[in-house]
Amino acid sequence: ISEYDRNQLDKYVAIKEDIEQKEIRLDYVQLAVDFYLYQDLEKIPEIRLKWGRDFYRYCNVKAENEEEKENG
């Protein structure tokens, strides 16, 4: 395994641990598909847009859940 690959793996493990600590649900199968498609230069903008939409959706749901908790 190359040094670059080792660094990428270390970053992935750190992110995975952070996700688990924050109890964020993650679809590992879809993530693997996205990483596979990300290798195609023509697919990169599409994948980035998808990730951005997913993140925005997650933030909205999280804000709604926090608001419901505050309001009882």
Side-chain angles (χ1 to χ4, degrees):
I1 187 167
S2 71
E3 184 67 25
Y4 173 80
D5 290 337
R6 184 69 184 150
N7 288 336
Q8 294 301 328
L9 183 59
D10 289 343
K11 288 178 186 178
Y12 169 75
V13 169
I15 291 169
K16 183 179 179 291
E17 290 172 352
D18 191 40
I19 287 170
E20 289 172 351
Q21 288 175 353
K22 294 180 180 178
E23 298 180 5
I24 298 172
R25 292 182 293 155
L26 184 60
D27 183 346
Y28 289 99
V29 174
Q30 184 60 55
L31 182 60
V33 170
D34 289 348
F35 281 150
Y36 176 78
L37 294 174
Y38 201 84
Q39 297 175 72
D40 180 352
L41 295 177
E42 294 178 7
K43 298 280 186 182
I44 290 174
E46 179 183 334
I47 298 300
R48 286 182 178 171
L49 181 61
K50 178 185 173 299
W51 289 347
R53 287 177 177 159
D54 289 347
F55 179 74
Y56 182 76
R57 188 177 309 113
Y58 167 77
C59 289
N60 280 341
V61 168
K62 183 178 177 184
E64 289 173 4
N65 289 342
E66 289 175 359
E67 185 176 312
E68 286 177 10
K69 286 180 183 177
E70 289 175 2
N71 293 333

